[in-house]
Short mmCIF file of all heavy atoms in Angstrom, two decimals:
data_model
loop_
_atom_site.label_atom_id
_atom_site.label_comp_id
_atom_site.label_asym_id
_atom_site.label_seq_id
_atom_site.Cartn_x
_atom_site.Cartn_y
_atom_site.Cartn_z
N MET A 1 -34.10 -18.89 9.07
CA MET A 1 -34.76 -17.59 9.13
C MET A 1 -36.20 -17.73 9.64
O MET A 1 -36.70 -16.89 10.37
CB MET A 1 -34.72 -16.93 7.74
CG MET A 1 -35.15 -15.47 7.75
SD MET A 1 -35.02 -14.68 6.13
CE MET A 1 -33.24 -14.51 5.98
N GLU A 2 -36.85 -18.83 9.25
CA GLU A 2 -38.21 -19.09 9.72
C GLU A 2 -38.23 -19.31 11.22
O GLU A 2 -39.12 -18.82 11.94
CB GLU A 2 -38.79 -20.31 9.00
CG GLU A 2 -40.25 -20.59 9.33
CD GLU A 2 -40.81 -21.76 8.54
OE1 GLU A 2 -40.13 -22.24 7.61
OE2 GLU A 2 -41.94 -22.20 8.87
N ASP A 3 -37.23 -20.03 11.73
CA ASP A 3 -37.14 -20.26 13.17
C ASP A 3 -36.95 -18.95 13.93
O ASP A 3 -37.54 -18.73 14.99
CB ASP A 3 -35.96 -21.21 13.48
CG ASP A 3 -36.21 -22.62 12.97
OD1 ASP A 3 -37.38 -22.96 12.75
OD2 ASP A 3 -35.22 -23.35 12.76
N VAL A 4 -36.10 -18.09 13.38
CA VAL A 4 -35.85 -16.78 14.01
C VAL A 4 -37.14 -15.96 14.03
O VAL A 4 -37.48 -15.33 15.03
CB VAL A 4 -34.73 -16.02 13.25
CG1 VAL A 4 -34.64 -14.58 13.75
CG2 VAL A 4 -33.40 -16.72 13.41
N ALA A 5 -37.88 -15.98 12.91
CA ALA A 5 -39.13 -15.22 12.81
C ALA A 5 -40.14 -15.69 13.85
O ALA A 5 -40.79 -14.88 14.52
CB ALA A 5 -39.71 -15.34 11.40
N LEU A 7 -39.52 -17.28 16.70
CA LEU A 7 -39.05 -16.97 18.04
C LEU A 7 -39.23 -15.50 18.38
O LEU A 7 -39.56 -15.14 19.52
CB LEU A 7 -37.57 -17.36 18.16
CG LEU A 7 -36.94 -17.33 19.55
CD1 LEU A 7 -37.69 -18.27 20.49
CD2 LEU A 7 -35.47 -17.72 19.48
N ILE A 12 -41.00 -13.40 8.27
CA ILE A 12 -39.69 -13.73 7.70
C ILE A 12 -39.10 -12.52 7.00
O ILE A 12 -37.89 -12.27 7.05
CB ILE A 12 -39.82 -14.92 6.72
CG1 ILE A 12 -40.19 -16.20 7.49
CG2 ILE A 12 -38.52 -15.14 5.95
CD1 ILE A 12 -40.40 -17.41 6.60
N THR A 14 -39.41 -9.44 7.82
CA THR A 14 -38.83 -8.54 8.82
C THR A 14 -37.44 -9.01 9.23
O THR A 14 -36.51 -8.20 9.39
CB THR A 14 -39.75 -8.44 10.06
OG1 THR A 14 -41.01 -7.91 9.66
CG2 THR A 14 -39.13 -7.54 11.12
N VAL A 15 -37.29 -10.32 9.43
CA VAL A 15 -35.97 -10.87 9.75
C VAL A 15 -34.99 -10.54 8.63
O VAL A 15 -33.85 -10.13 8.87
CB VAL A 15 -36.05 -12.41 9.95
CG1 VAL A 15 -34.63 -12.98 10.17
CG2 VAL A 15 -36.95 -12.74 11.12
N SER A 16 -35.43 -10.68 7.39
CA SER A 16 -34.58 -10.38 6.24
C SER A 16 -34.15 -8.92 6.24
O SER A 16 -32.99 -8.60 5.98
CB SER A 16 -35.33 -10.71 4.94
OG SER A 16 -34.55 -10.35 3.82
N HIS A 17 -35.08 -8.02 6.56
CA HIS A 17 -34.74 -6.59 6.58
C HIS A 17 -33.73 -6.28 7.68
O HIS A 17 -32.84 -5.44 7.49
CB HIS A 17 -36.00 -5.75 6.77
CG HIS A 17 -36.90 -5.73 5.58
ND1 HIS A 17 -36.43 -5.46 4.30
CD2 HIS A 17 -38.25 -5.94 5.44
CE1 HIS A 17 -37.44 -5.50 3.45
NE2 HIS A 17 -38.55 -5.80 4.11
N VAL A 18 -33.84 -6.95 8.81
CA VAL A 18 -32.89 -6.72 9.90
C VAL A 18 -31.51 -7.25 9.52
O VAL A 18 -30.49 -6.57 9.69
CB VAL A 18 -33.37 -7.39 11.20
CG1 VAL A 18 -32.28 -7.33 12.28
CG2 VAL A 18 -34.64 -6.71 11.71
N VAL A 19 -31.47 -8.46 8.97
CA VAL A 19 -30.19 -9.10 8.61
C VAL A 19 -29.49 -8.34 7.50
O VAL A 19 -28.27 -8.09 7.55
CB VAL A 19 -30.42 -10.57 8.19
CG1 VAL A 19 -29.14 -11.16 7.61
CG2 VAL A 19 -30.90 -11.38 9.38
N ASN A 20 -30.25 -7.95 6.48
CA ASN A 20 -29.65 -7.32 5.30
C ASN A 20 -29.67 -5.80 5.32
O ASN A 20 -29.13 -5.16 4.42
CB ASN A 20 -30.36 -7.81 4.03
CG ASN A 20 -30.23 -9.31 3.85
OD1 ASN A 20 -29.14 -9.85 3.92
ND2 ASN A 20 -31.36 -9.99 3.61
N VAL A 33 -35.54 -9.47 17.14
CA VAL A 33 -34.96 -10.28 16.07
C VAL A 33 -33.50 -10.60 16.36
O VAL A 33 -33.05 -11.75 16.19
CB VAL A 33 -35.09 -9.56 14.71
CG1 VAL A 33 -34.30 -10.30 13.62
CG2 VAL A 33 -36.55 -9.43 14.31
N LEU A 34 -32.74 -9.60 16.81
CA LEU A 34 -31.31 -9.83 17.10
C LEU A 34 -31.14 -10.81 18.25
O LEU A 34 -30.22 -11.64 18.25
CB LEU A 34 -30.63 -8.49 17.42
CG LEU A 34 -30.50 -7.51 16.25
CD1 LEU A 34 -29.88 -6.20 16.72
CD2 LEU A 34 -29.65 -8.12 15.12
N GLU A 35 -32.02 -10.74 19.26
CA GLU A 35 -31.96 -11.69 20.37
C GLU A 35 -32.27 -13.11 19.89
O GLU A 35 -31.63 -14.08 20.32
CB GLU A 35 -32.96 -11.29 21.46
CG GLU A 35 -32.55 -10.04 22.23
CD GLU A 35 -33.61 -9.61 23.23
OE1 GLU A 35 -34.63 -10.33 23.35
OE2 GLU A 35 -33.41 -8.58 23.89
N ALA A 36 -33.21 -13.22 18.96
CA ALA A 36 -33.55 -14.54 18.40
C ALA A 36 -32.39 -15.08 17.57
O ALA A 36 -32.09 -16.29 17.61
CB ALA A 36 -34.82 -14.43 17.55
N ILE A 37 -31.76 -14.21 16.82
CA ILE A 37 -30.59 -14.63 16.03
C ILE A 37 -29.49 -15.13 16.94
O ILE A 37 -28.85 -16.17 16.69
CB ILE A 37 -30.09 -13.45 15.17
CG1 ILE A 37 -31.08 -13.17 14.02
CG2 ILE A 37 -28.69 -13.72 14.61
CD1 ILE A 37 -30.76 -11.93 13.21
N GLU A 38 -29.28 -14.41 18.06
CA GLU A 38 -28.23 -14.79 19.01
C GLU A 38 -28.54 -16.14 19.65
O GLU A 38 -27.65 -16.99 19.78
CB GLU A 38 -28.11 -13.71 20.08
CG GLU A 38 -27.04 -13.97 21.13
CD GLU A 38 -25.64 -13.86 20.56
OE1 GLU A 38 -25.47 -13.17 19.53
OE2 GLU A 38 -24.72 -14.48 21.14
N SER A 39 -29.78 -16.36 20.00
CA SER A 39 -30.15 -17.60 20.70
C SER A 39 -30.14 -18.81 19.77
O SER A 39 -29.88 -19.93 20.21
CB SER A 39 -31.52 -17.44 21.37
OG SER A 39 -32.53 -17.27 20.39
N THR A 40 -30.45 -18.60 18.49
CA THR A 40 -30.49 -19.73 17.55
C THR A 40 -29.16 -19.97 16.86
O THR A 40 -28.93 -21.03 16.28
CB THR A 40 -31.55 -19.49 16.46
OG1 THR A 40 -31.24 -18.28 15.75
CG2 THR A 40 -32.94 -19.38 17.06
N GLY A 41 -28.26 -18.97 16.91
CA GLY A 41 -26.99 -19.11 16.20
C GLY A 41 -27.14 -18.98 14.70
O GLY A 41 -26.31 -19.47 13.92
N TYR A 42 -28.19 -18.30 14.26
CA TYR A 42 -28.49 -18.17 12.82
C TYR A 42 -27.41 -17.38 12.10
O TYR A 42 -26.94 -16.35 12.58
CB TYR A 42 -29.84 -17.49 12.63
CG TYR A 42 -30.10 -17.03 11.21
CD1 TYR A 42 -30.49 -17.94 10.23
CD2 TYR A 42 -29.95 -15.70 10.85
CE1 TYR A 42 -30.71 -17.53 8.93
CE2 TYR A 42 -30.17 -15.28 9.55
CZ TYR A 42 -30.56 -16.19 8.60
OH TYR A 42 -30.79 -15.78 7.31
N THR A 43 -27.01 -17.86 10.92
CA THR A 43 -26.16 -17.10 10.00
C THR A 43 -26.80 -17.16 8.63
O THR A 43 -27.33 -18.20 8.22
CB THR A 43 -24.73 -17.69 9.91
OG1 THR A 43 -24.82 -19.05 9.49
CG2 THR A 43 -24.02 -17.60 11.24
N GLY A 44 -26.75 -16.04 7.92
CA GLY A 44 -27.36 -16.00 6.59
C GLY A 44 -26.57 -16.81 5.58
O GLY A 44 -25.39 -17.10 5.76
N ASN A 45 -27.22 -17.19 4.50
CA ASN A 45 -26.58 -17.91 3.41
C ASN A 45 -26.14 -16.90 2.35
O ASN A 45 -26.94 -16.43 1.55
CB ASN A 45 -27.56 -18.92 2.80
CG ASN A 45 -26.87 -19.85 1.81
OD1 ASN A 45 -25.99 -19.44 1.08
ND2 ASN A 45 -27.30 -21.10 1.79
N ALA A 46 -24.84 -16.55 2.38
CA ALA A 46 -24.34 -15.52 1.48
C ALA A 46 -24.48 -15.93 0.02
O ALA A 46 -24.73 -15.10 -0.86
CB ALA A 46 -22.87 -15.22 1.81
N ALA A 48 -26.79 -17.98 -1.33
CA ALA A 48 -28.19 -17.85 -1.74
C ALA A 48 -28.57 -16.39 -1.92
O ALA A 48 -29.27 -16.01 -2.86
CB ALA A 48 -29.10 -18.51 -0.71
N ARG A 49 -28.09 -15.54 -1.01
CA ARG A 49 -28.40 -14.12 -1.09
C ARG A 49 -27.83 -13.50 -2.36
O ARG A 49 -28.44 -12.64 -2.99
CB ARG A 49 -27.87 -13.38 0.14
CG ARG A 49 -28.25 -11.91 0.19
CD ARG A 49 -28.10 -11.34 1.59
NE ARG A 49 -26.75 -11.49 2.11
CZ ARG A 49 -26.43 -12.24 3.15
NH1 ARG A 49 -27.36 -12.94 3.77
NH2 ARG A 49 -25.19 -12.33 3.56
#
Side-chain angles (χ1 to χ4, degrees):
M1 190 177 287
E2 185 177 351
D3 292 339
V4 170
L7 190 59
I12 293 177
T14 299
V15 175
S16 176
H17 289 311
V18 171
V19 171
N20 298 310
V33 171
L34 292 177
E35 289 176 2
I37 288 174
E38 181 69 24
S39 64
T40 59
Y42 167 78
T43 57
N45 189 323
R49 184 162 58 246

